[in-house]
Amino acid sequence: MSLLRLTYLALAIAGTVLPMRHYLDWLSANGWSLGGMIDAWFVNAATTGMVWDLMIAAIALIVWALAEIWVRRNWIALLALPATVCIGVSCGLPLYLFLRSGRVS
């Protein structure tokens, strides 16, 4: 495996662990309320701006990945889509790049 692929994989792992640690801490402290977490994302202009920035980036990643997956027939790369939606762009993008850089069968 190349150094570049290992870097993508390491970033995907970090992009999973770091955000999830904070999400789980917040959820455990606030009664596992997903609605409460979403409300917290829009608590002020700074967090609202960050949420919109990340949502637009996630949508762009998903559209690009779907178009490229369809052309390349790299179906395993579809795993990056739920990672993007459920965890975030910090996991989905490096995971997609890791899966994209592998050999397509």
Side-chain angles (χ1 to χ4, degrees):
M1 188 177 311
S2 73
L3 179 60
L4 183 60
R5 287 198 79 216
L6 287 172
T7 301
Y8 290 148
L9 184 58
L11 288 169
I13 292 167
T16 300
V17 172
L18 295 174
M20 289 304 290
R21 189 184 88 211
H22 294 286
Y23 294 155
L24 294 174
D25 285 348
W26 191 93
L27 286 168
S28 68
N30 291 282
W32 297 94
S33 169
L34 186 57
M37 178 184 270
I38 292 170
D39 289 342
W41 293 345
F42 296 95
V43 74
N44 61 46
T47 59
T48 300
M50 183 64 73
V51 167
W52 279 109
D53 179 63
L54 292 171
M55 281 197 298
I56 292 166
I59 292 167
L61 170 59
I62 290 168
V63 169
W64 171 59
L66 284 172
E68 205 172 64
I69 288 166
W70 183 258
V71 169
R72 293 171 48 99
R73 304 284 194 242
N74 185 10
W75 306 117
I76 192 73
L78 286 169
L79 292 173
L81 303 184
T84 300
V85 172
C86 297
I87 299 168
V89 176
S90 63
C91 173
L93 177 58
L95 179 61
Y96 178 73
L97 293 172
F98 171 76
L99 295 170
R100 182 189 184 277
S101 62
R103 191 174 282 180
V104 178
S105 338

